[in-house]
Amino acid sequence: MSAPSNGRGHEVMELNRRRVFALGAGAALAASTGTAAAHAKPAHAEPGLPGFQHNHTQVNGVRLHYVTGGRGEPLVLLPGWPQTWWLYHKIMPALAERFRVIAVDLRGMGGSDKPAGGFDKKTMATDIHELVRKLGYRKVNVVGHDLGSMVAFAFAANFPEATKKVAFMDVLHPDESFYHIPLLPPPGVFSVWWFAFNQVMGLPEQLLAGRFRYLADWLFANTAFTPSAIDERSRSIYARAYDSPEAIRASNGWYQAFHQDIADGKTYAKLTPPVLGLASVSSYDQFLGTLPAVANQFEVVPVDGSGHWLAEERPDVVTSEIIRFFG
């Protein structure tokens, strides 16, 4: 998950924070996470989604897991932290009526390999480029959310000839503004503490292995307008996907690569494919302020009534805007 901008979103996030902690720490954990035994559930097979098929293939030195369904032009869906391809499960059936949907677990995520490195977004975009070429496509539409949005940006920047159109949900590519995120924000400003936490080597695995559900529930409670939109099944899927030391280490690698991402971003020309920005209240102003400098053709659409988790909180709006834009 990336950082909200310093605009109106802080007020919303602070209200969420107060709502959660007003319950009391014990009650909040009991309400949102269940028992400690639930956190220790073993991993199981990927969840099924009617009409979709699970696949694996080797590309760019890693084995990627991806889910496919539908007919039409290829539409690649890239998820972010701390989720998997499943974050799109509410919108995939409707999209499959118009597109060939390809939802991918990124390098280090879910059912995909968790290698020692290659977590800069340029390398991860190369993974996706090799995947779509292996599937026989020369040009695809790409949608990304959170970390997946950063990879989608890098895909469009490095492979414009393979990008028909691209959509970013709530997050843009890392830039030098990341260096100005305060470790200790002033009162009333929402803290994106996980940016610093995920930079630490080794400790997150020790603290979170087998207990990742606590972190996931905290994020959903504090950064969603409607936390219940991420239901119990989805929370369990995400927690199991990140419960192992290897998964935590790999996901931290996405954040630890931000320095390289920022350096790579400075070398990119303006994006030439048409861009859609789907923004929550936290990112809307940032999108309007940043996209003119990084994209030739763009539009920004506010997703009202949603926090960070757009495709799960407002699947109706996200689906209709994707169909309209990619048409």
Side-chain angles (χ1 to χ4, degrees), residues 121-310:
K121 309 313 168 288
K122 186 175 183 178
T123 297
M124 295 172 75
T126 302
D127 296 344
I128 305 304
H129 184 248
E130 290 195 11
L131 172 63
V132 298
R133 285 296 178 89
K134 195 167 188 177
L135 294 177
Y137 301 114
R138 294 186 60 83
K139 205 162 193 171
V140 295
N141 297 304
V142 185
V143 177
H145 177 258
D146 191 77
L147 268 293
S149 185
M150 299 178 188
V151 178
F153 190 107
F155 186 95
N158 289 282
F159 308 106
E161 74 289 345
T163 311
K164 185 175 181 182
K165 295 180 179 179
V166 62
F168 308 133
M169 291 205 291
D170 215 41
V171 171
L172 297 174
H173 193 273
D175 59 27
E176 287 194 330
S177 68
F178 280 32
Y179 292 139
H180 303 288
I181 297 172
L183 183 60
L184 184 63
V189 176
F190 186 77
S191 172
V192 289
W193 55 267
W194 56 91
F195 270 54
F197 180 74
N198 288 346
Q199 297 291 327
V200 179
M201 304 293 289
L203 183 61
E205 297 97 301
Q206 294 175 313
L207 295 177
L208 294 174
R211 296 183 288 273
F212 196 86
R213 176 67 186 265
Y214 288 104
L215 175 57
D217 281 332
W218 188 96
L219 289 169
F220 297 139
N222 284 273
T223 60
F225 273 24
T226 311
S228 61
I230 302 94
D231 61 19
E232 173 61 30
R233 183 187 184 196
S234 297
R235 291 168 186 247
S236 296
I237 289 168
Y238 301 143
R240 282 193 293 268
Y242 288 89
D243 247 356
S244 72
E246 294 77 14
I248 297 163
R249 186 241 340 133
S251 64
N252 289 349
W254 303 330
Y255 286 80
Q256 292 159 9
F258 282 170
H259 302 291
Q260 184 61 52
D261 298 332
I262 292 167
D264 289 338
K266 292 179 181 179
T267 71
Y268 295 157
K270 272 192 171 185
L271 301 183
T272 54
V275 170
L276 170 65
L278 292 176
S280 72
V281 65
S282 297
S283 60
Y284 183 72
D285 291 340
Q286 179 197 17
F287 273 37
L288 287 180
T290 303
L291 282 174
V294 299
N296 285 331
Q297 307 174 62
F298 69 91
E299 58 178 294
V300 180
V301 175
V303 182
D304 294 331
S306 179
H308 179 64
W309 319 96
L310 308 180

Side-chain angles (χ1 to χ4, degrees), residues 43-50 52-55 65-67 84-87 89 92 105 110-111 233-234 236-238 240-241:
H44 61 73
E46 286 286 344
L49 190 62
F52 291 86
Q53 178 179 352
H54 291 275
N55 313 271
H65 168 248
Y66 60 102
V67 179
T84 67
W85 72 271
W86 182 255
L87 84 86
H89 74 280
M92 286 168 64
D105 276 341
R233 183 187 184 196
S234 297
S236 296
I237 289 168
Y238 301 143
R240 282 193 293 268

Side-chain angles (χ1 to χ4, degrees), residues 30-41:
S32 62
T33 64
T35 65
H39 301 165
K41 290 180 182 177

